[in-house]
Amino acid sequence: MTTANKLTIMRIALIPVFLVVLYLDFAGARWWALGIFIVACLTDFADGYIARHYNQITNFGKFMDPLADKMLVMAAMCYFVECGQMPGWCLAIVLLREFAGRVIAAAWSGKVKTASTMVCLCLMLVFQSNLLNVVCIAVIVATTMYSGIEYFAKNLDVFKEAD
């Protein structure tokens, strides 16, 4: 197993740790959860760099890396919906975008969406501010919608095959 793939698996393994820390709700739990979330996010950037730089691109990585990103982001967003920091419709928009269609190489807009969503979720973990939540939700929805439109535009052939 490649180093890049090990980092992807580590990101997946950190998801339940992140959630358990949040739900234990002890003093400083959000700070610990933030640290775990940041480490998990950094593995996303590290595994991609390592895979490309050291020629460790595998079919497993092509499939699991974006899936691990989705799992991490969705876990955090589910928590925020449950605790009232995020409306369910925001999660629904992201879910519909993320799980619609086939796996293809990430476009620039998809990378921006993932990075900005991860940053916004970090901010929401640290600051429990209604104004910041609104701004973060707007950024998440806007980048998700833009990358979704781009995704569907690039995959029109799938719809043409349905005829």
Side-chain angles (χ1 to χ4, degrees):
M1 177 155 302
T2 67
T3 301
N5 289 343
K6 288 177 184 175
L7 287 171
T8 299
I9 291 169
M10 183 176 128
R11 182 162 62 258
I12 293 168
L14 286 172
I15 295 168
V17 177
F18 165 71
L19 290 172
V20 165
V21 168
L22 277 175
Y23 283 103
L24 286 177
D25 198 27
F26 56 89
R30 277 194 170 224
W31 290 105
W32 281 99
L34 174 66
I36 294 164
F37 190 81
I38 289 171
V39 168
C41 291
L42 291 175
T43 67
D44 179 33
F45 299 105
D47 68 7
Y49 173 79
I50 290 168
R52 287 184 298 277
H53 190 263
Y54 294 103
N55 197 27
Q56 294 185 6
I57 297 172
T58 64
N59 287 333
F60 175 86
K62 287 179 192 176
F63 178 77
M64 286 305 296
D65 179 60
L67 184 59
D69 296 343
K70 291 169 182 41
M71 292 165 60
L72 176 64
V73 166
M74 295 303 160
M77 290 181 75
C78 285
Y79 172 81
F80 288 127
V81 168
E82 185 175 348
C83 73
Q85 272 188 264
M86 178 179 284
W89 60 261
C90 178
L91 174 60
I93 288 171
V94 174
L95 279 168
L96 291 171
R97 157 59 180 94
E98 294 300 344
F99 293 107
R102 59 186 173 185
V103 176
I104 60 169
W108 179 83
S109 66
K111 292 178 185 286
V112 169
K113 173 196 59 75
T114 300
S116 62
T117 299
M118 288 176 171
V119 168
C120 284
L121 295 174
C122 286
L123 291 171
M124 290 174 71
L125 275 169
V126 175
F127 306 104
Q128 295 178 31
S129 157
N130 288 336
L131 177 60
L132 180 64
N133 287 348
V134 169
V135 170
C136 286
I137 289 164
V139 168
I140 291 168
V141 169
T143 57
T144 297
M145 297 290 286
Y146 181 84
S147 70
I149 291 166
E150 181 182 55
Y151 173 86
F152 283 107
K154 285 185 177 184
N155 288 282
L156 285 175
D157 60 308
V158 172
F159 298 102
K160 291 177 184 173
E161 291 173 9
D163 289 337

